[in-house]
Amino acid sequence: MPIDLEQRQQFERLGFTNLGPLFDAAECARIADEYDRLVSFDSQVLGNKEEGEFPYRAMLNYRSPALASFIQHPALLDVAREFLGDDIRFWWDQGINKAPGSGSLIDWHQDNGYTNGKTAPFLTFWLALDDSSIENGGLMVVPGSHHQGLLPHHYETVHAVIDEGALDTANAVPLDAQAGDVLLFSSYLAHRTVGNHTKSRQRRAWVLQYCRADQRNEETGEIYDNRPWVMKHGEILKETFCERVLNLRGDRP
Ligand SMILES: O=C(O)CCC(=O)C(=O)O
């Protein structure tokens, strides 16, 4: 079983579960090497200068053959199949390193809040490359918030943020992870990450997302056919392909 009953029930009830370490130590080291090459202060940063910026980069799998091979890793796809069925596309990935002293937060949002138009929930895998807690920029989540459907969002700089008053955060909890853990979320789960107020503990995460191959933009009716197929009829594809080329600069999900 790629995911046990308790994890599955927790995911359905709360909107998240910790899948534990899906990759072995050598795989995590390979991911971290490529991640550190691509996600750095020299490539791209988010956050603001006053509170402290942090490295960020989208679509690492397009920039690194080594990382591209991981998006088809059976450990991820076997879990994805449980939720999405036999035909799966890769949606999006991003590397976010809440570096020591980068106090900028990423405020409350659902991952669907970034989507142009409206689409069904998809799956987010959040791989912790370091131990993560609220001291070093970790996650806070509102358990069960995925049951509320898509909440209204607006943009603050590049970040989609849930509108004031639309989310009750009274029951928010920290969602800690150990290096190597993979957290699985519904893309409707409301979450935020806080600033990293430590002096030396970076908090790197690689976030990978998958959707059903027939996922549609409910407003335009379009299929997301610029997202690569990774599994077809239950088989992991030898090579990914998409019907339309993804324009990394123009095509947000
Ligand atoms: O890892 C982070 O700091 C932010 C992750 C997040 O909010 C997201 O991927 O939507």
Side-chain angles (χ1 to χ4, degrees), residues 3 36 38 40 57 64 68-69 74 120 128 134 142 156 163 165 168 181 184-185 191 193 213 237 241 245 251:
I3 175 166
D36 289 343
L38 293 167
S40 72
R57 202 118 187 241
S64 157
S69 68
I134 50 171
V142 178
E156 291 181 13
D163 291 357
D168 181 356
D181 282 351
L184 178 70
F185 303 165
H191 59 284
T193 60
L237 296 180
F241 77 96
V245 174
D251 285 345

Side-chain angles (χ1 to χ4, degrees), residues 94 96 98 106 109 111 114 126 137 139 191 193 203 205 207:
Q94 52 196 343
I96 304 144
K98 288 287 185 76
I106 296 181
H109 65 281
D111 290 337
Y114 282 95
W126 196 92
L139 283 153
H191 59 284
T193 60
R203 197 244 58 198
V207 184

